[in-house]
């Protein structure tokens, strides 16, 4: 949350919406897990079709 510019912008926007740091962290973790799943799933398309 302190190094990446996109993440800092996201945190600033969500804080302005009234979200707590805990809620923001939960959202970021969900985003990361979705991205990781897509990456891993796309790495082996043969397994994804079964």
């Amino acid at each position: 949350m302190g190094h990446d510019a996109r993440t800092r912008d996201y945190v600033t926007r969500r804080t302005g919406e009234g979200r707590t740091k805990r809620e923001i962290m939960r959202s970021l973790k969900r985003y990361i897990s979705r991205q990781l799943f897509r990456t891993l799933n796309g790495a082996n398309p043969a397994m994804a079709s079964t």
Side-chain angles (χ1 to χ4, degrees):
M1 286 174 50
H3 300 287
D4 185 53
R6 294 176 298 166
T7 305
R8 283 194 308 259
D9 294 341
Y10 177 80
V11 170
T12 303
R13 188 173 71 242
R14 288 297 188 172
T15 303
E17 293 174 358
R19 304 276 188 222
T20 64
K21 183 176 179 180
R22 186 176 185 180
E23 291 172 325
I24 295 168
M25 289 292 289
R26 183 171 53 224
S27 297
L28 288 170
K29 287 177 184 179
R30 286 180 180 173
Y31 176 79
I32 291 169
S33 65
R34 283 192 303 266
Q35 290 297 103
L36 183 60
F37 179 79
R38 288 182 191 135
T39 301
L40 292 174
N41 206 14
N44 194 351
M47 287 191 73
S49 63
T50 58

